Amino acid sequence: QVSPRLRTPRLPVWLCSVSGRHSVLFGTDRQLLSDWKSEKIFHLYFYSGQQEQTQTAHLTIDTHSHHWEEAQREDPCSPEKRCPALEMAIRTKWAGATISWNGTDPCF
């Protein structure tokens, strides 16, 4: 018997397999599950359990960057640059989102 809380989580949680490694991406804002308006700027946390990750990464996701800001900043995932696989996975749900690692080194 599966607990109802496992079928309907109270907080947003995603189990990820990025570059062959299993990890957890989660948020602490319940509104993210039920109110699309809360998806403008929000925070997610990433934990891989890998030895090289010493602390949970705190990510800020901005899904409403303005087109004039986009033209001014360089695309971090351009073909010349290396883009973290986690960012590409996040953008499968929030296309075009700007992702800030808040001082944490990105996980490649």
Side-chain angles (χ1 to χ4, degrees):
Q1 181 77 18
V2 176
S3 168
R5 291 184 199 228
L6 288 176
R7 291 188 303 239
T8 309
R10 293 188 184 260
L11 295 171
V13 176
W14 294 272
L15 300 177
C16 307
S17 178
V18 179
S19 301
R21 294 183 173 186
H22 294 90
S23 54
V24 177
L25 184 65
F26 62 95
T28 57
D29 183 4
R30 292 179 187 196
Q31 294 298 323
L32 201 54
L33 290 171
S34 59
D35 185 7
W36 62 269
K37 294 174 193 168
S38 65
E39 293 184 0
K40 183 175 180 179
I41 296 177
F42 56 95
H43 303 279
L44 294 177
Y45 301 88
F46 176 73
Y47 182 71
S48 68
Q50 299 296 320
Q51 189 174 17
E52 61 269 10
Q53 186 180 10
T54 58
Q55 64 184 22
T56 302
H58 171 210
L59 307 172
T60 301
I61 315 298
D62 180 359
T63 62
H64 287 80
S65 296
H66 302 291
H67 67 279
W68 57 86
E69 293 171 347
E70 188 71 27
Q72 290 177 355
R73 73 175 179 91
E74 192 175 320
D75 182 11
C77 294
S78 61
E80 311 80 53
K81 292 198 171 193
R82 197 171 164 199
C83 183
L86 180 63
E87 287 188 20
M88 293 187 297
I90 290 170
R91 287 188 183 108
T92 62
K93 175 143 178 69
W94 296 286
T98 302
I99 301 165
S100 169
W101 287 77
N102 298 312
T104 306
D105 290 333
C107 304
F108 284 96

